Amino acid sequence: VQLVQSGTEVKRPGASVKISCKASGYTFTSHYVHWVRQAPGQGPEWLGIMHPSTDSRTYAQNFQDRIIMTSDMSASTVYMELSNLRSDDTAVYYCARDVSAITMVRANWFDPWGQGTLVSVSP
Amino acid sequence: SYELTQPPSVSVSPGLTARITCSGDALPTQFASWYQQKPGQAPVLVIYRDNERPSEIPERFSGSRSGTTVTLTISGVQTEDEGDYYCQSADNSGSYVLFGGGTKLTVL
């Protein structure tokens, strides 16, 4: 089981970033995928969750107006787009698989995680 | 807002037992998980559903719960166990996930 994310992104304030997370080694449509970020020296912060084969999504309240999660089942890939970037969005962004394989049931714990994508936002 | 509270740091000598606590008002209604993170690496699940351990995680890692507090116990701590540990759970509805602030484990 593996999640492989896209590479480092450098963005200006106000721009958008879209990160990909390609899954392999398991049935892509059976598991929810979470997105988590970690600012330098800080703990993880949950951004939201989506199910790859349905429209089921839940976004963290702090991000609901500027985050979009999508999926491409043909490519076994999920995407997270964050818009209107600010300097405090600088962080490593992770995707992580929810361990539950029961249809439309979340376990709310994560295994495995992707390797992380550094997003740097500066003028 | 709902929070999970951890001590910022715990120090322990090799071979002894380390205990890291995590407190939160919604913990009685939601399972907790624990993650280990080493510098420059993604977090790794070490305990889920309060006290279950993935097969690849050493038996010295265990979890327990008492009311609004969950505890990660590492028995016979080894130098390789140094790192940051994060508890994780969800709000009462199970819809929103949250993490504790993290505990830095130092093996002296």
mmCIF file of all heavy atoms in Angstrom, chain A residues 30-55:
data_model
loop_
_atom_site.group_PDB
_atom_site.id
_atom_site.type_symbol
_atom_site.label_atom_id
_atom_site.label_comp_id
_atom_site.label_asym_id
_atom_site.label_seq_id
_atom_site.Cartn_x
_atom_site.Cartn_y
_atom_site.Cartn_z
ATOM 1 N N SER A 30 -12.247 1.832 -2.145
ATOM 2 C CA SER A 30 -12.755 1.262 -0.886
ATOM 3 C C SER A 30 -12.438 2.095 0.340
ATOM 4 O O SER A 30 -12.968 1.821 1.421
ATOM 5 C CB SER A 30 -12.192 -0.155 -0.683
ATOM 6 O OG SER A 30 -12.666 -1.030 -1.667
ATOM 7 N N HIS A 31 -11.550 3.056 0.202
ATOM 8 C CA HIS A 31 -11.085 3.788 1.373
ATOM 9 C C HIS A 31 -11.234 5.291 1.183
ATOM 10 O O HIS A 31 -10.897 5.834 0.127
ATOM 11 C CB HIS A 31 -9.609 3.492 1.650
ATOM 12 C CG HIS A 31 -9.308 2.092 2.060
ATOM 13 N ND1 HIS A 31 -9.019 1.761 3.377
ATOM 14 C CD2 HIS A 31 -9.256 0.946 1.359
ATOM 15 C CE1 HIS A 31 -8.787 0.450 3.451
ATOM 16 N NE2 HIS A 31 -8.921 -0.061 2.234
ATOM 17 N N TYR A 32 -11.667 5.953 2.252
ATOM 18 C CA TYR A 32 -11.578 7.400 2.284
ATOM 19 C C TYR A 32 -10.100 7.827 2.266
ATOM 20 O O TYR A 32 -9.211 7.083 2.670
ATOM 21 C CB TYR A 32 -12.204 7.945 3.566
ATOM 22 C CG TYR A 32 -13.704 8.004 3.608
ATOM 23 C CD1 TYR A 32 -14.445 6.940 4.112
ATOM 24 C CD2 TYR A 32 -14.388 9.152 3.190
ATOM 25 C CE1 TYR A 32 -15.830 7.001 4.182
ATOM 26 C CE2 TYR A 32 -15.772 9.226 3.271
ATOM 27 C CZ TYR A 32 -16.480 8.155 3.762
ATOM 28 O OH TYR A 32 -17.841 8.224 3.843
ATOM 29 N N VAL A 33 -9.878 9.055 1.827
ATOM 30 C CA VAL A 33 -8.543 9.666 1.906
ATOM 31 C C VAL A 33 -8.659 10.992 2.655
ATOM 32 O O VAL A 33 -9.533 11.807 2.374
ATOM 33 C CB VAL A 33 -7.936 9.903 0.506
ATOM 34 C CG1 VAL A 33 -6.618 10.673 0.619
ATOM 35 C CG2 VAL A 33 -7.719 8.568 -0.203
ATOM 36 N N HIS A 34 -7.774 11.189 3.629
ATOM 37 C CA HIS A 34 -7.703 12.433 4.389
ATOM 38 C C HIS A 34 -6.570 13.294 3.843
ATOM 39 O O HIS A 34 -5.592 12.788 3.283
ATOM 40 C CB HIS A 34 -7.401 12.151 5.868
ATOM 41 C CG HIS A 34 -8.399 11.308 6.581
ATOM 42 N ND1 HIS A 34 -9.364 11.848 7.420
ATOM 43 C CD2 HIS A 34 -8.576 9.959 6.617
ATOM 44 C CE1 HIS A 34 -10.074 10.869 7.944
ATOM 45 N NE2 HIS A 34 -9.628 9.706 7.468
ATOM 46 N N TRP A 35 -6.682 14.588 4.097
ATOM 47 C CA TRP A 35 -5.583 15.523 3.857
ATOM 48 C C TRP A 35 -5.235 16.224 5.162
ATOM 49 O O TRP A 35 -6.133 16.659 5.904
ATOM 50 C CB TRP A 35 -5.942 16.545 2.783
ATOM 51 C CG TRP A 35 -5.974 15.956 1.402
ATOM 52 C CD1 TRP A 35 -7.051 15.392 0.776
ATOM 53 C CD2 TRP A 35 -4.882 15.860 0.476
ATOM 54 N NE1 TRP A 35 -6.696 14.957 -0.482
ATOM 55 C CE2 TRP A 35 -5.372 15.240 -0.690
ATOM 56 C CE3 TRP A 35 -3.541 16.260 0.511
ATOM 57 C CZ2 TRP A 35 -4.564 14.991 -1.807
ATOM 58 C CZ3 TRP A 35 -2.738 16.015 -0.599
ATOM 59 C CH2 TRP A 35 -3.259 15.388 -1.743
ATOM 60 N N VAL A 36 -3.951 16.306 5.431
ATOM 61 C CA VAL A 36 -3.420 16.873 6.668
ATOM 62 C C VAL A 36 -2.240 17.765 6.299
ATOM 63 O O VAL A 36 -1.497 17.442 5.372
ATOM 64 C CB VAL A 36 -2.939 15.747 7.617
ATOM 65 C CG1 VAL A 36 -2.300 16.327 8.885
ATOM 66 C CG2 VAL A 36 -4.102 14.821 7.975
ATOM 67 N N ARG A 37 -2.060 18.846 7.008
ATOM 68 C CA ARG A 37 -0.872 19.658 6.772
ATOM 69 C C ARG A 37 -0.118 19.872 8.074
ATOM 70 O O ARG A 37 -0.665 19.738 9.166
ATOM 71 C CB ARG A 37 -1.216 20.990 6.123
ATOM 72 C CG ARG A 37 -1.812 22.023 7.065
ATOM 73 C CD ARG A 37 -2.083 23.335 6.316
ATOM 74 N NE ARG A 37 -2.528 24.394 7.219
ATOM 75 C CZ ARG A 37 -2.819 25.617 6.808
ATOM 76 N NH1 ARG A 37 -2.744 25.951 5.509
ATOM 77 N NH2 ARG A 37 -3.225 26.531 7.682
ATOM 78 N N GLN A 38 1.149 20.219 7.933
ATOM 79 C CA GLN A 38 1.997 20.439 9.101
ATOM 80 C C GLN A 38 2.927 21.602 8.816
ATOM 81 O O GLN A 38 3.837 21.504 7.982
ATOM 82 C CB GLN A 38 2.790 19.169 9.425
ATOM 83 C CG GLN A 38 3.522 19.197 10.728
ATOM 84 C CD GLN A 38 4.063 17.825 11.111
ATOM 85 O OE1 GLN A 38 4.322 16.973 10.264
ATOM 86 N NE2 GLN A 38 4.226 17.601 12.400
ATOM 87 N N ALA A 39 2.668 22.707 9.480
ATOM 88 C CA ALA A 39 3.522 23.887 9.342
ATOM 89 C C ALA A 39 4.858 23.639 10.044
ATOM 90 O O ALA A 39 4.944 22.786 10.936
ATOM 91 C CB ALA A 39 2.824 25.102 9.932
ATOM 92 N N PRO A 40 5.886 24.378 9.662
ATOM 93 C CA PRO A 40 7.209 24.157 10.261
ATOM 94 C C PRO A 40 7.169 24.226 11.783
ATOM 95 O O PRO A 40 6.673 25.202 12.356
ATOM 96 C CB PRO A 40 8.050 25.298 9.668
ATOM 97 C CG PRO A 40 7.385 25.612 8.381
ATOM 98 C CD PRO A 40 5.914 25.405 8.617
ATOM 99 N N GLY A 41 7.643 23.172 12.441
ATOM 100 C CA GLY A 41 7.717 23.142 13.888
ATOM 101 C C GLY A 41 6.392 22.965 14.596
ATOM 102 O O GLY A 41 6.339 23.075 15.827
ATOM 103 N N GLN A 42 5.330 22.692 13.838
ATOM 104 C CA GLN A 42 3.995 22.574 14.429
ATOM 105 C C GLN A 42 3.474 21.141 14.306
ATOM 106 O O GLN A 42 4.042 20.302 13.607
ATOM 107 C CB GLN A 42 3.016 23.513 13.736
ATOM 108 C CG GLN A 42 3.435 24.983 13.769
ATOM 109 C CD GLN A 42 3.511 25.518 15.176
ATOM 110 O OE1 GLN A 42 2.602 25.327 15.981
ATOM 111 N NE2 GLN A 42 4.615 26.190 15.504
ATOM 112 N N GLY A 43 2.369 20.874 14.977
ATOM 113 C CA GLY A 43 1.725 19.585 14.864
ATOM 114 C C GLY A 43 0.857 19.492 13.635
ATOM 115 O O GLY A 43 0.619 20.490 12.938
ATOM 116 N N PRO A 44 0.372 18.301 13.328
ATOM 117 C CA PRO A 44 -0.498 18.129 12.164
ATOM 118 C C PRO A 44 -1.820 18.867 12.336
ATOM 119 O O PRO A 44 -2.316 19.028 13.456
ATOM 120 C CB PRO A 44 -0.722 16.606 12.121
ATOM 121 C CG PRO A 44 0.360 16.009 12.945
ATOM 122 C CD PRO A 44 0.654 17.018 14.006
ATOM 123 N N GLU A 45 -2.369 19.298 11.204
ATOM 124 C CA GLU A 45 -3.667 19.967 11.168
ATOM 125 C C GLU A 45 -4.504 19.286 10.090
ATOM 126 O O GLU A 45 -4.109 19.226 8.925
ATOM 127 C CB GLU A 45 -3.489 21.447 10.868
ATOM 128 C CG GLU A 45 -4.789 22.222 10.785
ATOM 129 C CD GLU A 45 -4.571 23.688 10.487
ATOM 130 O OE1 GLU A 45 -3.524 24.051 9.915
ATOM 131 O OE2 GLU A 45 -5.465 24.491 10.822
ATOM 132 N N TRP A 46 -5.671 18.811 10.472
ATOM 133 C CA TRP A 46 -6.545 18.106 9.537
ATOM 134 C C TRP A 46 -7.249 19.096 8.623
ATOM 135 O O TRP A 46 -7.796 20.096 9.091
ATOM 136 C CB TRP A 46 -7.554 17.285 10.330
ATOM 137 C CG TRP A 46 -8.466 16.414 9.534
ATOM 138 C CD1 TRP A 46 -8.150 15.244 8.901
ATOM 139 C CD2 TRP A 46 -9.867 16.627 9.318
ATOM 140 N NE1 TRP A 46 -9.269 14.706 8.305
ATOM 141 C CE2 TRP A 46 -10.329 15.541 8.549
ATOM 142 C CE3 TRP A 46 -10.763 17.614 9.691
ATOM 143 C CZ2 TRP A 46 -11.665 15.410 8.147
ATOM 144 C CZ3 TRP A 46 -12.095 17.501 9.305
ATOM 145 C CH2 TRP A 46 -12.532 16.409 8.532
ATOM 146 N N LEU A 47 -7.248 18.801 7.322
ATOM 147 C CA LEU A 47 -7.868 19.678 6.335
ATOM 148 C C LEU A 47 -9.215 19.149 5.849
ATOM 149 O O LEU A 47 -10.118 19.923 5.510
ATOM 150 C CB LEU A 47 -6.956 19.827 5.120
ATOM 151 C CG LEU A 47 -5.564 20.399 5.390
ATOM 152 C CD1 LEU A 47 -4.747 20.424 4.105
ATOM 153 C CD2 LEU A 47 -5.665 21.798 5.987
ATOM 154 N N GLY A 48 -9.354 17.828 5.802
ATOM 155 C CA GLY A 48 -10.611 17.289 5.314
ATOM 156 C C GLY A 48 -10.463 15.858 4.832
ATOM 157 O O GLY A 48 -9.378 15.264 4.913
ATOM 158 N N ILE A 49 -11.577 15.333 4.335
ATOM 159 C CA ILE A 49 -11.637 13.930 3.922
ATOM 160 C C ILE A 49 -12.554 13.809 2.715
ATOM 161 O O ILE A 49 -13.522 14.564 2.581
ATOM 162 C CB ILE A 49 -12.153 13.047 5.083
ATOM 163 C CG1 ILE A 49 -12.195 11.564 4.719
ATOM 164 C CG2 ILE A 49 -13.541 13.515 5.533
ATOM 165 C CD1 ILE A 49 -12.587 10.652 5.890
ATOM 166 N N MET A 50 -12.219 12.880 1.839
ATOM 167 C CA MET A 50 -13.150 12.593 0.765
ATOM 168 C C MET A 50 -13.137 11.110 0.445
ATOM 169 O O MET A 50 -12.160 10.403 0.730
ATOM 170 C CB MET A 50 -12.798 13.394 -0.497
ATOM 171 C CG MET A 50 -11.586 12.928 -1.253
ATOM 172 S SD MET A 50 -11.551 13.580 -2.927
ATOM 173 C CE MET A 50 -12.998 12.798 -3.622
ATOM 174 N N HIS A 51 -14.240 10.640 -0.149
ATOM 175 C CA HIS A 51 -14.300 9.279 -0.642
ATOM 176 C C HIS A 51 -14.101 9.315 -2.156
ATOM 177 O O HIS A 51 -14.816 10.045 -2.843
ATOM 178 C CB HIS A 51 -15.637 8.627 -0.298
ATOM 179 C CG HIS A 51 -15.621 7.145 -0.450
ATOM 180 N ND1 HIS A 51 -15.759 6.527 -1.664
ATOM 181 C CD2 HIS A 51 -15.447 6.166 0.462
ATOM 182 C CE1 HIS A 51 -15.690 5.225 -1.506
ATOM 183 N NE2 HIS A 51 -15.495 4.975 -0.233
ATOM 184 N N PRO A 52 -13.154 8.540 -2.680
ATOM 185 C CA PRO A 52 -12.792 8.667 -4.098
ATOM 186 C C PRO A 52 -13.910 8.357 -5.086
ATOM 187 O O PRO A 52 -13.881 8.844 -6.212
ATOM 188 C CB PRO A 52 -11.642 7.662 -4.270
ATOM 189 C CG PRO A 52 -11.076 7.483 -2.908
ATOM 190 C CD PRO A 52 -12.238 7.620 -1.980
ATOM 191 N N SER A 53 -14.894 7.534 -4.700
ATOM 192 C CA SER A 53 -15.871 7.107 -5.701
ATOM 193 C C SER A 53 -17.253 7.732 -5.501
ATOM 194 O O SER A 53 -18.171 7.431 -6.245
ATOM 195 C CB SER A 53 -15.988 5.584 -5.685
ATOM 196 O OG SER A 53 -16.465 5.136 -4.432
ATOM 197 N N THR A 54 -17.372 8.620 -4.509
ATOM 198 C CA THR A 54 -18.670 9.278 -4.280
ATOM 199 C C THR A 54 -18.431 10.774 -4.174
ATOM 200 O O THR A 54 -17.326 11.260 -4.307
ATOM 201 C CB THR A 54 -19.329 8.785 -2.986
ATOM 202 O OG1 THR A 54 -18.614 9.313 -1.857
ATOM 203 C CG2 THR A 54 -19.311 7.267 -2.907
ATOM 204 N N ASP A 55 -19.446 11.504 -3.913
ATOM 205 C CA ASP A 55 -19.308 12.939 -3.669
ATOM 206 C C ASP A 55 -19.179 13.243 -2.181
ATOM 207 O O ASP A 55 -19.317 14.391 -1.771
ATOM 208 C CB ASP A 55 -20.512 13.686 -4.247
ATOM 209 C CG ASP A 55 -20.444 13.775 -5.764
ATOM 210 O OD1 ASP A 55 -19.322 13.710 -6.311
ATOM 211 O OD2 ASP A 55 -21.515 13.896 -6.380
#
